[in-house]
């Protein structure tokens, strides 16, 4: 397809303008992420402290991710047919409005898990629009040779904000309840929208612009199916994300059951992960990662598996006393690995996929993200009510190592097939 800039916005110059546009874009996304992180932590802690149930956390994860999978089917195509900036703004505005309504209902005395689940579902629908738009928009304003470093900077900035979020969320949650956290999220969304709104972003114009929605969708699926690298990366990403569910969502249960139900412990647990992601983003933005992106994926996945095993062994396992400090150390290192893995996947897809198809590819990535994590929680969440979270971490770590060896064997074949 022919790709040109529409009259919606002038094409971004290749000189200093991209730095300004990227700064505004990353700042807007980061501020919006801060509010979303506050809500995520507050809801997770609320459900953990109120129920101490793996089933409840599994249901919350399902409501928080499955709607995104459905919406990503539409969002990926929309990102290739419409101006990606306006999609981002519209989704953020819808999420902020829903969050405000929930806060008002809570103040009016309405409560119940169904309110939380409904809010998570609507926010997830917005994420289904945002994810492909963000992934496809960044290459429009950033030169190709700067993508890995900019993605690393993006990861660092977002991680720095998530370090602030647990402390702020804990203070607001403890002093004023969930409603205060929801209002802060609304305010940060308004600020984020204002920053993104000033960036000129061109709409991708394709020679097949008259194609129907279903034609676009089938073309995107066909593209992925016949692109050996993209297909294997998405499959590998899906499996690793399923295995990341316990470290990402069951560690609060481990902390409460093994080390104590103090809010500060939950906060420090999230801080350790955030510090690790910040460090990982800083390192990869300065280093640039391996030139061989597939090698980078394999290395980070293997490290995740080993660290997951070690984190499980650092808890109360086999009747031995656990060490909270050692547990936090492994949590920090897992944060580093997640930053490297996520940045590499995003950059690899941005480098490998043509601009006019990136929306649909990142839409599929959004579907993978939305389905993999709930699947992991549906598998491991109820299991956490039967066996200890420590054993689940050991199990997922072993599986991650085995999957990594399989990927390392298949990667050269994928590269050969795509060449």
């Amino acid at each position: 397809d022919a790709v040109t800039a529409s009259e919606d916005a002038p094409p971004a110059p290749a000189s200093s303008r991209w730095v300004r546009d990227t700064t505004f874009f990353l700042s807007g996304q980061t501020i919006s992420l801060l509010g979303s992180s506050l809500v995520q932590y507050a809801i997770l802690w609320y459900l953990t402290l109120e129920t101490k149930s793996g089933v409840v956390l599994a249901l919350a994860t399902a409501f928080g991710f499955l709607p995104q999978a459905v919406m990503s089917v539409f969002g990926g195509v929309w990102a290739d047919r419409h101006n990606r900036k306006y999609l981002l703004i519209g989704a953020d505005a819808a999420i902020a409005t829903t969050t405000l309504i929930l806060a008002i209902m809570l103040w009016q005395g309405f409560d119940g898990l169904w309110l939380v689940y409904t809010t998570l579902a609507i926010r997830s629908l917005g994420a289904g629009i945002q994810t492909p738009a963000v992934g496809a928009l960044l290459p429009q304003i950033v030169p190709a040779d700067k993508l890995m470093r900019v993605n690393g900077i993006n990861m660092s900035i977002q991680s720095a904000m998530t370090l602030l979020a647990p402390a702020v969320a804990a203070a607001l949650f403890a002093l004023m309840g969930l409603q205060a956290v929801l209002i802060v999220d609304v305010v940060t969304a308004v600020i984020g929208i204002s920053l993104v709104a000033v960036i000129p972003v061109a709409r991708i114009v394709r020679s097949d612009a008259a194609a129907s929605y279903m034609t676009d969708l089938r073309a995107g699926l066909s593209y992925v199916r016949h692109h050996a690298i993209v297909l294997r990366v998405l499959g590998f990403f899906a499996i690793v994300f399923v295995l990341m569910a316990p470290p990402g969502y069951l560690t609060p249960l481990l902390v409460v059951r093994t080390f104590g139900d103090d809010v500060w412990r939950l906060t420090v647990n999230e801080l350790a992960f955030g510090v690790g992601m910040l460090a990982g983003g800083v390192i990869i933005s300065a280093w640039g990662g391996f030139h061989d992106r597939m090698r980078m994926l394999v290395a980070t996945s293997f490290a995740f598996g080993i660290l997951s095993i070690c984190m499980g062994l650092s808890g109360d396992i086999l009747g031995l006393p656990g060490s909270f400090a050692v547990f936090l150390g492994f949590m920090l290192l897992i944060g580093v690995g997640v930053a490297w893995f996520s940045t590499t996947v995003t950059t690899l897809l941005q480098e490998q996929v043509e601009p006019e198809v990136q929306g649909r590819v990142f839409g599929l990535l959004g579907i993978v993200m939305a389905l993999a994590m709930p699947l992991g929680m549906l598998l491991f969440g109820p299991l956490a009510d039967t066996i200890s979270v420590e054993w689940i971490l050991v199990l997922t770590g072993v599986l991650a190592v085995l999957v990594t060896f399989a990927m390392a064997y298949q990667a050269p074949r994928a590269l050969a097939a795509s060449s």
Side-chain angles (χ1 to χ4, degrees):
D1 296 338
V3 182
T4 59
S6 77
E7 64 276 10
D8 293 0
S15 57
S16 61
R17 183 170 180 172
W18 77 267
V19 176
R20 188 209 69 170
D21 291 346
T22 302
T23 300
F24 273 84
F25 178 74
L26 294 183
S27 299
Q29 289 298 293
T30 299
I31 293 173
S32 181
L33 173 66
L34 173 60
S36 297
S37 299
L38 295 179
V39 173
Q40 176 184 345
Y41 294 135
I43 289 179
L44 180 63
W45 296 343
Y46 172 80
L47 295 177
T48 300
L49 294 172
E50 291 294 320
T51 69
K52 294 183 175 64
S53 170
V55 173
V56 169
L57 293 182
L59 286 173
T61 304
F63 281 109
F65 283 92
L66 292 180
Q68 179 181 346
V70 176
M71 185 54 70
S72 291
V73 176
F74 302 93
V77 176
W78 291 343
D80 287 335
R81 296 170 71 95
H82 306 291
N83 191 300
R84 291 156 180 170
K85 180 180 78 172
Y86 298 144
L87 290 175
L88 281 178
I89 292 175
D92 258 342
I95 291 173
T97 301
T98 302
T99 305
L100 178 61
I101 292 173
L102 174 63
I104 294 174
M105 292 184 69
L106 290 174
W107 267 316
Q108 292 298 317
F110 295 95
D111 57 12
L113 289 177
W114 70 271
L115 274 175
V116 177
Y117 292 154
T118 301
T119 301
L120 289 173
I122 296 176
R123 291 172 66 89
S124 181
L125 290 173
I129 299 174
Q130 289 177 318
T131 299
V134 169
L137 188 151
L138 200 57
Q140 287 187 253
I141 61 177
V142 177
D145 61 337
K146 301 293 193 301
L147 277 173
M148 187 66 152
R149 296 183 186 276
V150 169
N151 282 323
I153 292 172
N154 186 25
M155 182 67 68
S156 300
I157 296 174
Q158 292 182 13
S159 300
M161 289 297 98
T162 59
L163 285 176
L164 177 64
V168 175
L172 292 175
F173 183 69
L175 294 176
M176 292 179 283
L178 186 58
Q179 299 95 316
V181 180
L182 297 175
I183 292 301
V184 171
D185 182 41
V186 174
V187 174
T188 57
V190 171
I191 297 173
I193 289 172
S194 301
L195 289 172
V196 173
V198 302
I199 304 171
V201 177
R203 177 174 58 88
I204 297 296
V205 178
R206 303 167 8 218
S207 60
D208 63 344
S212 68
Y213 173 87
M214 291 305 300
T215 299
D216 268 356
L217 180 59
R218 286 193 296 267
L221 294 173
S222 177
Y223 176 89
V224 171
R225 186 169 63 251
H226 293 95
H227 197 300
I229 293 179
V230 173
L231 181 62
R232 278 175 170 78
V233 167
L234 289 177
F236 184 54
F237 184 87
I239 296 173
V240 173
F241 244 56
V242 169
L243 299 177
M244 282 184 179
Y249 287 88
L250 290 180
T251 50
L253 277 179
L254 187 153
V255 171
V256 168
R257 294 173 178 176
T258 302
F259 302 111
D261 59 0
D262 307 287
V263 172
W264 73 265
R265 293 185 185 274
L266 296 172
T267 304
V268 172
N269 177 52
E270 301 297 344
L271 283 174
F273 184 78
V275 168
M277 289 194 67
L278 173 60
V282 169
I283 292 171
I284 202 168
S285 63
W287 166 35
F290 297 147
H291 180 70
D292 184 343
R293 308 300 191 204
M294 299 294 283
R295 180 185 172 196
M296 189 78 182
L297 286 183
V298 167
T300 53
S301 175
F302 179 79
F304 161 74
I306 297 299
L307 290 171
S308 182
I309 294 171
C310 292
M311 187 162 61
L313 295 176
S314 69
D316 184 10
I317 196 170
L318 297 177
L320 300 176
S323 170
F324 189 50
V326 174
F327 169 82
L328 291 177
F330 288 123
M331 193 69 176
L332 184 148
L333 292 176
I334 281 184
V336 174
V338 169
W340 288 7
F341 185 83
S342 300
T343 301
T344 305
V345 169
T346 300
T347 305
L348 191 153
L349 293 177
Q350 289 170 342
E351 292 174 344
Q352 290 286 328
V353 178
E354 290 78 3
E356 65 270 26
V357 194
Q358 285 188 2
R360 280 163 283 181
V361 169
F362 278 102
L364 291 174
L365 180 65
I367 294 173
V368 169
M369 292 173 60
L371 291 179
M373 196 64 74
L375 177 59
M377 283 301 291
L378 288 174
L379 289 173
F380 300 114
L383 188 61
D385 290 338
T386 304
I387 66 175
S388 68
V389 177
E390 288 91 333
W391 278 115
I392 295 176
L393 291 173
V394 171
L395 171 63
T396 54
V398 171
L399 292 175
V401 170
L402 295 177
V403 169
T404 300
F405 281 127
M407 182 62 177
Y409 175 75
Q410 290 291 333
R413 297 185 176 187
L415 292 171
S418 64
S419 60

